[in-house]
Amino acid sequence: MARSWRRAGIVALPFVLAWAAVLAVFTALRDRLPDPVATHMGPGGQADGFTGLGAFLPVATTLLLLPGLIASVVAYCSRMALGGQRMLVATGYGTAAMLGYDLVALLEANAGAGRAAQVAFPLWHLAVSFAVAGAVGGAGWLLAGRDAAPADEADEAAEAAGPRLPLGKGETAVWTRSVGSPVLVVVGAGITLLGVVLTVVMDVTAESALIAVGLISLALSRCRVTVDRRGLSVAPWFAPRPRMRIPLERITKATSREARALGLGGWGYRIQPGRSALVLRSGDALFLRLATGKEFVVTVDDAATAAALLNTLVERDRTATGT
Amino acid sequence: MLFRVDLGSPVPLGDQIAATVRGAIADGTLRPGERLPAARALADSLGVNVHTVLRGYQRLREEDLIDLRRGRGAVVTGEQPTARARLLEGVQNLVEEARALGLSDEEVLSLVRTRLASRYSGAPYSA
């Protein structure tokens, strides 16, 4: 599927609109805003964190336009219909709406208070921002659905019989290979580092979530993929658990081909309609057609051997159980 | 990499596992520094005893093809494992062919000694 500026525009739209709204409100209220402005609220809705007036706009711009830019670059490069990634689009819309609402409400609260220390931010604002996020996210979901995903181009290839790996009667075979993801290593290390720095510099506990996300990315950055008499399993490189397993009974057919990470929906564990994929890098990938009609993909070197062995084992399993 | 064992073969399973790994190192599928699957996981996959797998790994360690370290698992060694594995496969073939011809161990060794002596004339073989 071709790259599309229209898709890039659709995913960037809510971020740009939210930024424009914040910019407009900031300009209108500028004379009445205290310096510094209150930017963080304690649990009771009382201001307990402050930012210089001059820094407010750059920070708000980064918060809104950077994710918007990233989202549209991904949408542009992935060549995928938005209909196949509705959840992502909806999340982007919801996030932009929530950020935009909170920033505007924050400016209003600051302008009304006169002095930053007196700024109060009633907690019902949070409830409203969640509602707004939900509504706008829903709109994003519907909008993305109009960009229908094309029929699976792999179906034709899947019609042909899958490759085989001849095995003797008493012979058992196991295929195993580890695959690493430079992208997940860099992203994981980066997020962890950011979390640690934020925790030290700003002394806030919320950033421990960042550290957790970073460490999970790092843990998943190298996996071992195994094909054996039980089926396919994927486990992290350092331990046999947690393990993802697809038993032979659930596999109809295995094939292998080159795949691009962005074409599969990005790096990590991606769930899309009709397909889930464990994407560590672009390149050789193993495609499984499941009994449910869905598809499972894992990117791994030498996927051709894995596919051949899986087809042979599936066939042997069927013959043995007589189904 | 692909492990194959034949439960019907007279060759011990541990040796079959070692031969698979040796072959993979010889043809470049397994490169220096790469890690072999954990013995327990591989035993589960093949449906054999974990000691059988460890026997195979132990043999590879004796051949200096892999390092076995507690906690690190089995790793292909960094020192020319590919060439080494090929040499060992050659030795394996030599032994098999000699057996097929009905040669005794002593006869095989003397053949090898003679060959070594003629190749490096002047360097006496010391056993």
Side-chain angles (χ1 to χ4, degrees), chain B residues 18-87:
Chain B
T20 314
V21 176
R22 205 181 291 125
I25 297 176
D27 69 19
T29 312
L30 272 178
R31 285 180 294 269
E34 265 190 83
R35 195 179 295 256
L36 297 184
R40 182 165 300 280
L42 182 58
D44 275 355
S45 287
L46 285 168
V48 302
N49 194 297
V50 67
H51 296 295
T52 309
V53 175
L54 284 173
R55 245 197 313 279
Y57 280 11
Q58 192 60 38
R59 160 147 304 192
L60 293 165
R61 198 188 73 91
E62 284 158 11
E63 295 171 354
D64 278 338
L65 289 175
I66 63 169
D67 277 335
L68 272 181
R69 284 194 213 130
R70 187 170 282 279
R72 268 206 78 204
V75 181
V76 179
T77 55
E79 282 174 46
Q80 301 188 312
T82 311
R84 248 192 118 69
R86 284 198 191 126
L87 173 69

Side-chain angles (χ1 to χ4, degrees), chain A residues 123-178:
Chain A
L123 288 180
W124 58 260
H125 273 310
L126 279 185
V128 176
S129 77
F130 275 118
V132 170
V136 177
W141 173 275
L142 294 177
L143 202 58
R146 295 175 49 133
D147 188 17
D152 195 345
E153 56 211 76
D155 270 356
E156 261 175 79
E159 288 308 310
R164 293 285 191 284
L165 189 142
L167 277 186
K169 202 163 159 32
E171 216 175 354
T172 314
V174 172
W175 179 91
T176 177
R177 184 131 196 156
S178 76

Side-chain angles (χ1 to χ4, degrees), chain A residues 220 237 248 277 304:
Chain A
L220 290 177
W237 53 274
L248 288 180

Side-chain angles (χ1 to χ4, degrees), chain A residues 41 89 169 176 180-181 199 244:
Chain A
M41 303 298 156
V89 178
K169 202 163 159 32
T176 177
S181 173
T199 310
M244 174 191 265

Side-chain angles (χ1 to χ4, degrees), chain A residues 211-266:
Chain A
I211 300 178
V213 168
L215 289 181
I216 290 171
S217 299
L218 276 181
L220 290 177
S221 63
R222 181 162 277 278
C223 293
R224 180 169 279 285
V225 184
T226 303
V227 172
D228 62 21
R229 64 207 162 95
R230 295 164 298 192
L232 177 97
S233 62
V234 184
W237 53 274
F238 54 87
R241 295 279 194 297
R243 175 177 57 189
M244 174 191 265
R245 171 164 282 178
I246 302 177
L248 288 180
E249 311 87 81
R250 280 188 51 210
I251 302 170
T252 324
K253 194 171 115 80
T255 48
S256 69
R257 62 174 186 271
E258 295 281 313
R260 295 173 63 248
L262 284 173
L264 293 170

